[in-house]
Amino acid sequence: QVQLVESGGGSVQPGGSLRLSCAASGLTWSSYCMGWFRQGPGSEREEVAAIYTDDVSRTNWGIEYADSVKGRFTISQNNAKDMLYLEMNDVKPEDTAMYYCASEKAPCPLRYLQSTWDTWGQGTQVTVSS
């Protein structure tokens, strides 16, 4: 079974930086799409970033970001360490949310349907304020 555990959340001032980590177990990285999601107060959960492939061969991989975080956030993974990361730079108050990592068996062409993501972490809180 796939297990995901987030960490690295906390309080940060606007313009600051934070790196979230997601420790993964029970998966083969080349077989899974990986993503970061967030849900702010009174808001629906939204995709922040994802590493994905739409190919059944799982040879062509891409990275996508929500428009609101492009140029500020970076998603990456370290297969050797079984870790997924979200580097958050120039954070804004609107980034305040519970952040979750998730996995989905590749390919994941329907990833925009959040119900297709198989496993979710417990979440880590990020609060951006002065």
Side-chain angles (χ1 to χ4, degrees), residues 21-22 30 57 75 78 88 91-92 103 111 113 119 125:
S21 299
C22 174
S30 62
S57 63
I75 186 173
N78 188 319
M88 306 168 61
V91 296
K92 303 176 180 180
S103 65
R111 59 190 175 277
L113 299 175
T119 303
Q125 179 68 41

Side-chain angles (χ1 to χ4, degrees), residues 95-107:
D95 296 322
T96 295
M98 183 73 75
Y99 284 73
Y100 303 88
C101 64
S103 65
E104 178 180 348
K105 188 72 174 181

